[in-house]
Amino acid sequence: MSCDICGSNNFEFVTKQFSLRTAQYNLPVCICRNCGFVCVNPKPSQEEYSKINEIWYSKKYSLDLPYNNTTDYKFHKWKIVWERISFYFKGQDNINFLDVGAGQGWATEFLREKFKNFNSFSIEQSQSCIEYIRDILKGNVINVSIESK
């Protein structure tokens, strides 16, 4: 696989990715020696990727429903991120926001409170998350795999 950033084929193995949710898939994490981009290399096939997502979604989103948590729980990490990036947005009232792999839509929900005019676009495949983002948050959802061309 060539690097998505610079096109090089010069990768160095770093470690294996591990998740308790998808323990049967230990994917190789590599770094491009040319530009420093870190990624899974080689990427799983579309069939493997679909199986990983099926396992991941069924475990992650059945335990962490988008509408079934407190504001403190949902926004804990987004408050930390906002502390780091908020100075880039000083004086801005309008924002277009794209969240790839939006999950429960909590980034959209958090940021909507920060801007007067907020347009959100989410790429997500989990049906319960899509419904929450679209129906509750009134966000635009694109149900497509990021691997699609």
Side-chain angles (χ1 to χ4, degrees):
M1 171 187 113
S2 61
C3 178
D4 292 333
I5 304 301
C6 71
S8 167
N9 290 315
N10 190 10
F11 283 93
E12 180 179 337
F13 174 80
V14 176
T15 189
K16 288 208 173 223
Q17 170 271 337
F18 177 77
S19 170
L20 289 174
R21 290 189 175 105
T22 56
Q24 62 271 47
Y25 293 96
N26 291 307
L27 303 173
V29 177
C30 298
I31 187 168
C32 175
R33 290 182 175 168
N34 191 47
C35 72
F37 179 62
V38 177
C39 61
V40 171
N41 187 3
K43 291 181 181 178
S45 68
Q46 190 61 45
E47 183 179 324
E48 290 173 313
Y49 188 65
S50 294
K51 288 178 185 175
I52 291 168
N53 276 345
E54 185 178 312
I55 295 165
W56 176 264
Y57 287 149
S58 67
K59 291 181 181 176
K60 168 70 175 165
Y61 299 124
S62 66
L63 300 173
D64 230 356
L65 297 173
Y67 50 81
N68 202 20
N69 288 292
T70 67
T71 301
D72 285 341
Y73 180 84
K74 293 193 293 187
F75 299 155
H76 173 73
K77 70 179 174 181
W78 300 114
K79 287 177 182 177
I80 294 168
V81 170
W82 185 247
E83 287 176 16
R84 294 178 185 165
I85 67 169
S86 62
F87 67 93
Y88 290 111
F89 298 95
K90 289 225 186 292
Q92 292 187 32
D93 288 333
N94 305 313
I95 188 171
N96 292 315
F97 177 68
L98 173 63
D99 192 356
V100 178
Q104 300 96 328
W106 295 342
T108 295
E109 191 172 354
F110 178 79
L111 289 172
R112 176 164 278 134
E113 300 299 317
K114 304 291 182 195
F115 299 94
K116 187 176 185 178
N117 297 306
F118 182 80
N119 297 309
S120 70
F121 302 87
S122 301
I123 296 177
E124 182 53 52
Q125 291 186 295
S126 167
Q127 194 57 43
S128 65
C129 295
I130 288 171
E131 291 168 5
Y132 184 74
I133 295 166
R134 184 190 61 220
D135 301 340
I136 305 301
L137 301 179
K138 305 300 183 201
N140 300 293
V141 182
I142 304 160
N143 180 357
V144 64
S145 167
I146 61 171
E147 299 295 322
S148 298
K149 295 187 180 191

